[in-house]
Amino acid sequence: MSKTSPARSLTEGPIGRSLLLFSLPILAGNIAQSLNGSVNAIWVGKFLGEAALTATANANNIMFFLIGSVFGIGMAATILIGQSIGAKDLAQARRVMGTSATFFIGLSVVIAVAGWFLSHRLLVAMGTPAESLPMAEAYLKVIFLGMPLIYAFAFFTAALRGAGDARTPFRFLLLSVLLDIGINPLLIFGLGPFPELGVAGAAWATFFAQGLALAAMLLYLRNKRHVLWLGRKDAALLKIDPVILKTLVVKGVPMGLQMVLISLAMIMMISMVNAYGVSTASAYGAAMQLWTYVQMPAMAIGAACSSMAAQNVGAGRWDRVHATARTGVLFNFLLTGALIAPIILFDRSTLALFLPGESSALEIGRHLNHIAVWSFLFFGVTFVVSGVVRSTGAVVPPLLILAVAMWGIRVPFALWLQPVLGVDAIWWSFPVSAFCSMVMVMAYYRWGNWRKAKMLQKDTLATPAEVPSTPPSPVADANLDVDIEDDAVIEQPVSR
C-alpha cells in the first residue's frame, strides 16, 4: 500500500510567506499550550492558594529539565528527517523515524521510572518551601507517570514538522489542550462522579489528555498512510540502525544538553527566588506564566526556521538557508516586540489572573516583570539563529554559547550581585545574559564554520557546489527576502 504525505515542501516558494504559513500552526499550538497552562494556574492559584501555585511552579521546572534531558534526540531526528525530505529521500526519512522512535521513547520510560522514585529528593534539593512540598510531590509523581506519553507526543510533533507538516500536530495539540482544560476542574474539585484530587488532579488531567490525543494522532497517521507512519509491515524499520543511532546521540546529546543547561539554570534561579519566601516565589511563578506568551512567537518562528533550513540544506539551497535566518529575525522583532508593550501596560490585570487581588506578590510580580520581560527580544534572535545553525549539524557551538550565557553570566550575575542589588540581581540577570547570548550567536553565524557541518558522517544528501564563507549578518542585512518579487530572484536553482 503506497504511502501518502500531506507535508509541504519548504525548498521553494517565497521565503517570507512560506515561513509565516509554516509558523502559524506552531504559534497557534504554543498559544493553546500556554492558555492551557494559564487556565490550570488560575484554578490552582485562585482556588487552592499561593502554596499550591508555588508547588506546581517547582514541579514544572523539574519536568522541563527531564524533557530537555532527552529531547535533543528528537531535535536531531527532526533535522535528519528535514534534510532527507529536502533531498527527496523518503526511505531515509522513514529509517530515521523508526530508529529515533524506538530509542527516544524507550529512554523516556527509563527516565520516568527513575523520576518517580526521586521526586521527593529533587524537590527538597530545590529548596521547595515546606508548605508546598507535599502538594508538589503529589503533582510531580503523576507527571512522571505520564512522561512517556508527553515525550511520545512531543516526538511525533517534531518529526512531522521536520517533514514540513505543521498542521497535523496542531490539530491534535488543540485536542489535548481542550481535553486538559475540560478535565482539570473535574479532578481538582471532584465534580460529579470524579474524585477530589487537588493539585494532583491537574497532573492527572494532563496525563489523560496527552494519552487520548496521542492515540488519536497515531490513528490519524495510520488511516492517512502518512509517509512517516510505520505500521506492522514496517516493523523492521523500528530496529535500531547503528549509524543513525550514533548520529542521534552525537548530535542529539549537545542539543539536549542545551535544554538541560536552561532547565538547571531555571532551577537555580527558582531556588534563589524561593529563599525570599512564598510571596516572591509565587510572583515569579505568575510572571513566568506571562513570559510563556512573550516567548511564543520566537519559539514558533525558530522552530519553523529550523525545519525550513534543514530541508534547504538537504536540497543544497544555501541561498534560502540564509534568507530564512534573516526573515526569521525580522519576524521575531516585529511579533515579540508587539507582545511586550501590552504585557507591560496591562501587567496588573494579567498578573491578577494568577494571584489573589490583595496578595503582596502582585506588586513584586509587576516590578520583576518590568525588568526581565525585555530579555525575550534578545532570546528570540538567539533562538532563530541557533535553529538555522543547528540545521546543518553544527550543534556544539550553540551549546557552548548557551553555557557561557547561562552559567558564565546569568547565574553568577544573580548570585554575586544579590548583596548589592538584593532580589533585583535575579531579575536583571535575565536581560543581561540574553543580550550577551544574542551577540555571541550572531558572531558565530557571521564567522563560524557551521556551513561545513554534517549530520550523518556518510552524508548522501545534496550538497552545494559553493557555500559562501561569510554571508551577511541575519540582523544587519536590510535586504530581507520577504516579498514574492524578491524571492523570485533567489528561486533560481543552485548547481550541485
Side-chain angles (χ1 to χ4, degrees), residues 224-270:
K224 290 292 184 181
R225 302 193 303 279
H226 193 283
V227 67
L228 295 183
W229 168 254
L230 303 179
R232 284 180 295 179
K233 295 181 179 180
D234 305 307
L237 294 176
L238 294 173
K239 183 179 178 181
I240 297 291
D241 183 311
V243 176
I244 294 175
L245 177 59
K246 181 179 179 181
T247 299
L248 291 175
V249 173
V250 171
K251 300 297 185 179
V253 167
M255 289 189 283
L257 283 176
Q258 293 183 58
M259 301 287 288
V260 172
L261 287 176
I262 293 173
S263 302
L264 288 175
M266 294 305 293
I267 290 173
M268 177 66 75
M269 302 304 283
I270 201 169

Side-chain angles (χ1 to χ4, degrees), residues 383-455:
F383 199 83
V384 168
V385 177
S386 294
V388 173
V389 165
R390 285 193 298 263
S391 70
T392 64
V395 296
V396 174
L399 171 64
L400 297 178
I401 290 170
L402 183 69
V404 171
M406 291 289 168
W407 291 94
I409 299 173
R410 177 174 294 182
V411 172
F413 187 101
L415 280 173
W416 297 342
L417 291 183
Q418 280 187 68
V420 179
L421 301 177
V423 71
D424 278 1
I426 300 175
W427 317 142
W428 277 108
S429 69
F430 285 92
V432 169
S433 60
F435 179 79
C436 293
S437 178
M438 179 186 72
V439 171
M440 288 186 286
V441 79
M442 286 170 55
Y444 179 69
Y445 180 93
R446 180 66 174 81
W447 293 293
N449 292 324
W450 60 275
R451 302 159 200 85
K452 298 179 181 178
K454 299 289 183 185
M455 285 294 290

